[in-house]
Amino acid sequence: MKSSQLLILGNGFDVHCGLKSQYKDFFRSEILDTRSEPFGIIQTKAGVSGFWEEILLEYYKIKNKDDYNWCDIEKIIKDTLLSIYIGNDNSKYDIHNGLCYKASMYIYHLTATLHLEKLSDIEKFIFNYCVKFISTNGGEYKDNIKPLIENLFQQLRVLERRFCKYLKNQIINPNNENEWNEQYIINSVNLLADLTKFTDKEFKSMDEIIDNLEYEKQQAKKYDIKFEDTIYLCGELYDLFNTNILSFNYTALFDILKAKSPCKYSNVHGKLCSGDCATDCSGSSIIFGIDDRIIQTQDANSELRLFSKTYRKMLDSGDPISILPPNDQPVDIIFYGHSLSEADYSYFQSIFDYYDLYGNNNVSLIFYYSKNYENHEAIYRLISEYGKSLTNKDQGKNLIHKLLLENQLHIQEI
């Protein structure tokens, strides 16, 4: 029996296909005023404001400008929220360490035990924002923490829509929604072919990807017959029917083409809006957020759920898609372009549990990578961490060994 495929894609896929979709590219293009920078003026672009945009700028001022390892928006969200609640001692929930609490005490001149001199530059920025917010709204700490978090969440939605517009403008001509970045689409289809083996063909033009139905459309118009204004894909692409795609990106190839997807395709953290970002980006379902496990460790802080990816995905009004192939038949779980970061371990654990990774010899893990983007250590870490979750600890300790011995683990350059 031919194996079903579950293809898990990360941002490396879009980067490999030509998109500047990394956070650092977004920051430099849409937030940083690069024209003023040569004159020693570090500021946001004209018309760009907001807490998250400003804190990204603060990180840029403080960190090495030639090293963008700091530019991880979701890590910044996590660190910011925890510092507001529990300060720099994030081992245990304690409002007396939280910057919002300190700001409230500062306003009412109860500064004796605040130790503000120990705050880092980033913490000082957050503290000053809390002071300004509480001073404007009045009231005590307990009256301000919830509206403060809600305010930061609404500002995050603005940042998400800004990112949506940034990505869409690279893919679709903002002045003509039927004009695409053809090279990105060609690269995407070819990379999908390499990863899933649905065809040996290398596509070199959009004409090879799309069936030319212009004659049929003209005839329909002539005789006033309804003809769906949609893209018809070439026959080879329909061999993707045996593949389910779980994407951690915000792009959805077949949505961009306005084509019926030949496979099940789900965007874990939302996707680009279908409207005009310049006038109405409310349809964007892009999610920037933090792992739900972090929320659960702060059980007293229920308002933090607004920033939980899981919580926001639960509220998504889109039609639910059962993206996992059946677990009673052979399946290849294929990874490409994903950092395998700890923030997404909950997804991978659920998938491995579903397929009974230790006891099921019909499941294979295939990790593809491009040259100079090897990720052996991340793979080892992911499987080792999953092993720790198994009830039988001895099985967990030898999980990698078992997968290698039974030819269920493959790491290949593509």
Side-chain angles (χ1 to χ4, degrees):
M1 180 187 294
K2 185 177 180 181
S3 297
S4 298
Q5 296 180 330
L6 175 63
L7 176 60
I8 299 174
L9 299 177
N11 187 46
F13 181 91
D14 277 345
V15 171
H16 185 89
C17 294
L19 282 192
K20 293 184 176 180
S21 53
Q22 294 177 292
Y23 291 139
K24 66 178 183 181
D25 299 319
F26 166 62
F27 172 75
R28 286 198 63 84
S29 172
E30 303 301 311
I31 297 176
L32 180 66
D33 184 355
T34 52
R35 291 182 299 179
S36 299
E37 188 179 18
F39 301 99
I41 302 173
I42 309 300
Q43 62 185 14
T44 58
K45 289 179 179 290
V48 173
S49 61
F51 174 84
W52 299 107
E53 289 84 350
E54 294 290 346
I55 200 171
L56 282 168
L57 189 72
E58 288 301 309
Y59 272 94
Y60 180 71
K61 291 177 182 177
I62 295 165
K63 304 293 183 180
N64 187 336
K65 297 175 185 177
D66 298 322
D67 181 3
Y68 278 86
N69 287 332
W70 59 267
C71 196
D72 181 340
I73 289 173
E74 296 189 320
K75 184 178 185 303
I76 289 173
I77 293 170
K78 181 194 75 172
D79 292 346
T80 299
L81 294 175
L82 291 181
S83 66
I84 285 174
Y85 274 105
I86 56 179
N88 52 21
D89 178 14
N90 56 15
S91 60
K92 185 180 179 181
Y93 172 72
D94 184 354
I95 64 168
H96 299 94
N97 288 324
L99 295 180
C100 184
Y101 179 82
K102 288 180 183 291
S104 181
M105 294 298 100
Y106 176 82
I107 291 169
Y108 292 102
H109 309 292
L110 302 174
T111 60
T113 59
L114 294 183
H115 303 296
L116 299 181
E117 72 281 356
K118 295 183 179 179
L119 298 182
S120 68
D121 289 340
I122 293 295
E123 287 173 326
K124 288 176 183 175
F125 173 83
I126 300 170
F127 172 80
N128 288 332
Y129 185 85
C130 291
V131 168
K132 182 178 178 181
F133 185 89
I134 296 172
S135 298
T136 301
N137 288 272
E140 299 179 7
Y141 164 84
K142 66 178 184 297
D143 302 316
N144 279 283
I145 187 65
K146 185 175 181 179
L148 172 62
I149 294 302
E150 290 175 348
N151 172 269
L152 293 179
F153 175 70
Q154 292 305 321
Q155 294 197 60
L156 181 64
R157 292 292 292 126
V158 174
L159 183 70
E160 291 168 344
R161 289 193 286 270
R162 195 186 301 278
F163 191 79
C164 179
K165 181 179 178 180
Y166 166 71
L167 275 189
K168 278 190 68 176
N169 285 348
Q170 292 185 62
I171 300 170
I172 302 172
N173 185 335
N175 300 314
N176 183 354
E177 63 179 18
N178 293 315
E179 186 177 309
W180 312 294
N181 177 342
E182 294 190 2
Q183 193 58 57
Y184 165 73
I185 293 172
I186 294 168
N187 291 345
S188 296
V189 172
N190 284 327
L191 185 50
L192 277 180
D194 286 342
L195 294 168
T196 63
K197 317 301 182 192
F198 74 84
T199 180
D200 293 330
K201 180 177 180 177
E202 181 181 357
F203 297 89
K204 296 183 179 179
S205 70
M206 289 293 291
D207 287 341
E208 294 180 30
I209 294 172
I210 298 171
D211 276 347
N212 188 346
L213 298 176
E214 191 60 35
Y215 173 77
E216 287 84 349
K217 288 184 179 182
Q218 291 299 325
Q219 289 295 102
K221 184 178 180 180
K222 179 178 178 181
Y223 295 104
D224 197 25
I225 300 171
K226 185 176 181 181
F227 192 95
E228 288 184 300
D229 187 18
T230 188
I231 294 297
Y232 286 79
L233 302 171
C234 67
E236 286 93 340
L237 277 163
Y238 281 92
D239 287 336
L240 271 170
F241 72 92
N242 203 43
T243 299
N244 292 9
I245 300 178
L246 187 65
S247 176
F248 285 78
N249 299 330
Y250 304 113
T251 53
L253 176 61
F254 303 110
D255 282 3
I256 293 167
L257 289 171
K258 297 182 180 178
K260 182 179 179 182
S261 176
C263 59
K264 289 185 177 180
Y265 197 117
S266 178
N267 292 80
V268 179
H269 297 143
K271 57 186 177 181
L272 304 180
C273 72
S274 57
D276 181 358
C277 285
T279 58
D280 178 21
C281 197
S282 58
S284 170
S285 60
I286 282 182
I287 295 174
F288 290 163
I290 58 181
D291 189 83
D292 201 56
R293 292 178 301 172
I294 298 170
I295 309 296
Q296 293 171 7
T297 61
Q298 308 300 321
D299 55 356
N301 305 325
S302 60
E303 54 268 23
L304 282 186
R305 71 188 183 282
L306 294 174
F307 292 86
S308 161
K309 293 179 181 179
T310 302
Y311 179 78
R312 292 183 64 187
K313 191 67 177 174
M314 181 185 72
L315 299 179
D316 188 353
S317 59
D319 294 332
I321 298 175
S322 178
I323 199 64
L324 300 182
N327 58 5
D328 58 354
Q329 62 189 39
V331 61
D332 293 334
I333 304 175
I334 304 169
F335 293 81
Y336 179 80
H338 198 292
S339 64
L340 306 179
S341 66
E342 188 176 344
D344 293 319
Y345 276 7
S346 55
Y347 287 100
F348 303 139
Q349 180 174 336
S350 297
I351 292 170
F352 295 163
D353 283 346
Y354 176 74
Y355 290 110
D356 183 17
L357 184 59
Y358 190 92
N360 185 358
N361 294 334
N362 287 323
V363 59
S364 294
L365 302 182
I366 303 172
F367 295 88
Y368 285 121
Y369 65 90
S370 295
K371 189 174 182 179
N372 299 324
Y373 289 91
E374 298 85 350
N375 56 350
H376 296 71
E377 289 186 12
I379 295 168
Y380 181 84
R381 209 162 41 240
L382 169 65
I383 300 176
S384 296
E385 282 299 313
Y386 176 69
K388 295 176 183 177
S389 72
L390 297 180
T391 303
N392 187 324
K393 299 306 176 185
D394 289 333
Q395 289 181 347
K397 290 176 182 177
N398 72 2
L399 177 58
I400 295 179
H401 180 76
K402 176 187 181 295
L403 294 174
L404 290 171
L405 189 64
E406 299 183 5
N407 199 32
Q408 292 177 256
L409 175 61
H410 308 271
I411 305 174
Q412 298 173 220
E413 181 180 344
I414 193 165

